[in-house]
Amino acid sequence: MFKKALHAQVAETFDVPPDSVLWRRDFLLGVATAAYQIEGAVDEDGRLPSIWDTFSATPGKVLRGDTGAVACDHYHRWRDDVDLIAALNVDAYRLSIAWPRVMDRDGRANEKGIAFYRELLQALRARGIRTSVTLYHWDLPQHLEDAGGWCNRATAYRFAEYADLVSRELAGLVDFWSTLNEPWCSAMHGYGTGHHAPGHTSVTEASAAMHHLLLGHGLALQALRRNDPASQKGIVLNVGRGTTDGDRPEDRRAAELFELQHNDWVLDPLLKGSYPAALFEQLWQGAEPPVEEGDLAIIAAPLDFLGINYYFRTNVRGDGNGGYVEVDLEGVERTQMGWEVYPEGLAHLLVGFHERYASLPPIYITENGMACDDEVMDGHVVDGQRIAFLNRHLAAVDRAVKAGVDVRGYYIWSLMDNFEWAFGYERRFGIVHVDYATQRRTVKRSAELVRDFLARRNGRS
């Protein structure tokens, strides 16, 4: 457990140079959450079980046996949470819709679930907050997993039906639709490593799951464009910087292979219409995706924007068998998650994507942030390491923009402390502290600084 950060940098101010892109009124600065991590109310108003309900209730899967059954009780406290978001002066709020909350087993709308999101979005829009909605942030209905989950091609078509239903019901209330959040995590951690729901451990299953996730994305885009043409449509990907401290050719190749499986595996089919052949020739022989005729054209449909989630880099060396092994660096700053703080990786990746992909759409940093062991002291939370983290990563975004990358916004992960998947409630990413026993929200110093900066920016003539 990483209770203290190693070699932590701390800051007391939100440092935004006068020439930073952040001063532009059209550069969105927002906050983000996800349904299962904050909503709770898992068995209310017709919500069906999800794979995360099942997974988190399985002994040994989540730290301390935590579940999302109550989480931040946002389902009941959303009006106060909208007031909280508005008080931070942010431009936009990114949330996800819980598929099991809005659709029954037969594909019909659950009116109470739809009403929850409709009222939430209406309240946000009434406060002048732009809305960014993710259709899938990992909470697959359990009955679909029982039928094969994302390894089953039919799930892609069920996802398109869900996207069609939700976009018809909520048309006009959403500024940005994202089909999927982090399909790499859904496929690899859900079906490859077992770290996330549903907990499978097969690279072959992970490859099939990825393909069907991306196919579902492409099919969902068609529904979104049909039902809500005025909105922007995209997808959210987590990307990773791979480096090596080794000096052998196989070490340098290991770093390339890391980024191949972490980034190219998802970006190439979306932006080039093909999977990277080297991935299956060198790392995952025999685990080629189950591509059918016409699939890749559906997957590679043009995007209005690309969401990028970035948190850390990974150091690797060759494993002697043509692959790689992760090797932690010593003497580097780490977060409560144990992740290295490495803002240079964000700028490097953004510039690299800009140079490699001719069809790269405008980019929003849809998640970036860090977990700290935050405590409320005399009614305050002073999170100096997070402030320094935000300063440095926003500076990295600014460098990428100055290098020609079309980055149009940045969302802090996350609005509030929440259920951090397999790590339960111990790891705190929020700029608002949550006391889970009382559900009391306490604005941290980082949030105060963001609020005050935006007040100054928005007051400029």
Side-chain angles (χ1 to χ4, degrees):
M1 182 174 67
F2 293 86
K3 302 297 284 186
K4 298 294 181 183
L6 181 63
H7 302 304
Q9 294 190 35
V10 297
E12 297 180 355
T13 60
F14 195 55
D15 297 327
V16 184
D19 64 342
S20 170
V21 67
L22 265 71
W23 286 107
R24 286 186 359 207
R25 293 288 298 273
D26 62 348
F27 185 90
L28 292 188
L29 191 58
V31 289
T33 64
Y36 190 74
Q37 294 182 269
I38 66 168
E39 286 181 1
V42 296
D43 57 0
E44 291 187 38
D45 293 337
R47 181 188 177 277
L48 302 177
S50 78
I51 57 175
W52 269 96
D53 296 308
T54 302
F55 189 77
S56 61
T58 303
K61 296 299 185 181
V62 175
L63 190 65
R64 297 176 177 171
D66 292 339
T67 77
V70 176
C72 304
D73 197 31
H74 174 72
Y75 188 75
H76 301 113
R77 301 169 185 265
W78 67 267
R79 292 176 179 83
D80 291 339
D81 288 338
V82 169
D83 289 342
L84 174 63
I85 296 165
L88 295 179
N89 296 326
V90 293
D91 301 309
Y93 176 52
R94 178 174 174 246
L95 65 137
S96 76
I97 290 175
W99 188 349
R101 196 179 293 286
V102 298
M103 195 177 214
D104 70 13
R105 288 174 177 266
D106 297 320
R108 297 183 298 247
N110 173 16
E111 296 297 342
K112 290 184 177 179
I114 292 288
F116 166 71
Y117 293 108
R118 182 181 293 114
E119 291 177 20
L120 172 60
L121 292 168
Q122 288 172 337
L124 290 163
R125 297 290 286 273
R127 304 297 289 270
I129 299 165
R130 301 186 74 181
T131 53
S132 179
V133 172
T134 304
L135 286 170
Y136 185 70
H137 201 129
W138 307 354
D139 44 3
L140 183 71
Q142 182 61 46
H143 69 92
L144 292 179
E145 177 56 35
D146 294 340
W150 288 109
C151 293
N152 182 355
R153 183 180 176 90
T155 302
Y157 293 91
R158 302 294 81 75
F159 180 66
E161 293 166 1
Y162 156 62
D164 179 65
L165 170 68
V166 171
S167 59
R168 281 188 282 109
E169 294 284 353
L170 302 179
L173 295 174
V174 177
D175 293 296
F176 303 93
W177 287 103
S178 297
T179 53
L180 306 174
N181 178 78
E182 299 185 354
W184 186 94
C185 286
S186 296
M188 181 52 68
H189 283 329
Y191 294 89
T193 69
H195 183 61
H196 285 178
H200 298 191
T201 54
S202 164
V203 170
T204 301
E205 288 192 18
S207 177
M210 176 64 83
H211 181 65
H212 296 143
L213 282 156
L214 295 180
L215 177 62
H217 151 78
L219 294 169
L221 272 186
Q222 297 173 5
L224 295 173
R225 294 200 183 283
R226 181 172 61 248
N227 296 334
D228 198 9
S231 62
Q232 298 284 296
K233 294 92 175 168
I235 187 172
V236 171
L237 311 180
N238 60 305
V239 298
R241 176 73 175 119
T243 62
T244 185
D245 63 340
D247 55 9
R248 301 170 299 172
E250 70 175 86
D251 296 325
R252 292 188 287 275
R253 180 56 179 162
E256 294 172 355
L257 289 173
F258 173 85
E259 292 196 4
L260 186 74
Q261 65 83 26
H262 206 291
N263 303 334
D264 300 26
W265 183 25
V266 194
L267 281 164
D268 277 13
L270 288 168
L271 300 180
K272 290 184 175 181
S274 62
Y275 286 98
L279 180 62
F280 302 98
E281 293 169 355
Q282 298 184 44
L283 280 182
W284 298 338
Q285 296 90 344
E288 291 79 6
V291 179
E292 295 188 11
E293 185 176 357
D295 285 1
L296 289 169
I298 294 171
I299 291 170
L303 300 167
D304 297 325
F305 71 91
L306 177 65
I308 292 291
N309 297 352
Y310 173 83
Y311 289 98
F312 59 94
R313 75 162 163 179
T314 302
N315 186 70
V316 297
R317 296 177 193 162
D319 65 2
N321 294 307
Y324 63 85
V325 60
E326 296 181 13
V327 180
D328 284 344
L329 295 171
E330 297 182 0
V332 299
E333 180 183 3
R334 297 189 180 277
T335 72
Q336 191 191 18
M337 294 291 288
W339 298 343
E340 182 188 357
V341 178
Y342 191 70
E344 295 84 357
L346 177 56
H348 177 96
L349 290 169
L350 291 173
V351 172
F353 298 155
H354 174 66
E355 293 173 347
R356 288 174 49 203
Y357 294 106
S359 61
L360 186 72
I363 288 172
Y364 292 85
I365 307 303
T366 35
E367 289 183 27
N368 181 235
M370 67 170 294
C372 300
D373 184 27
D374 298 320
E375 297 180 12
V376 179
M377 305 288 289
D378 298 323
H380 301 281
V381 180
V382 180
D383 52 342
Q385 190 190 8
R386 180 176 291 107
I387 296 165
F389 180 101
L390 294 173
N391 282 338
R392 287 177 286 163
H393 284 80
L394 286 164
V397 171
D398 189 58
R399 290 196 298 275
V401 171
K402 288 180 169 62
V405 186
D406 187 3
V407 184
R408 299 187 180 182
Y410 175 99
Y411 293 79
I412 299 168
W413 184 268
S414 59
L415 167 64
M416 66 182 81
D417 299 332
N418 54 45
F419 178 78
E420 183 46 41
W421 307 112
F423 295 100
Y425 294 102
E426 182 188 77
R427 315 294 167 93
R428 294 182 175 271
F429 275 89
I431 60 172
V432 175
H433 183 277
V434 177
D435 181 327
Y436 298 113
T438 65
Q439 292 298 336
R440 179 180 177 83
R441 276 78 157 137
T442 302
V443 174
K444 302 179 187 180
R445 183 59 181 153
S446 57
E448 293 173 344
L449 292 173
V450 170
R451 176 199 66 199
D452 295 347
F453 164 74
L454 287 169
R456 293 194 304 273
R457 186 196 73 175
N458 297 340
R460 283 189 169 190
S461 59

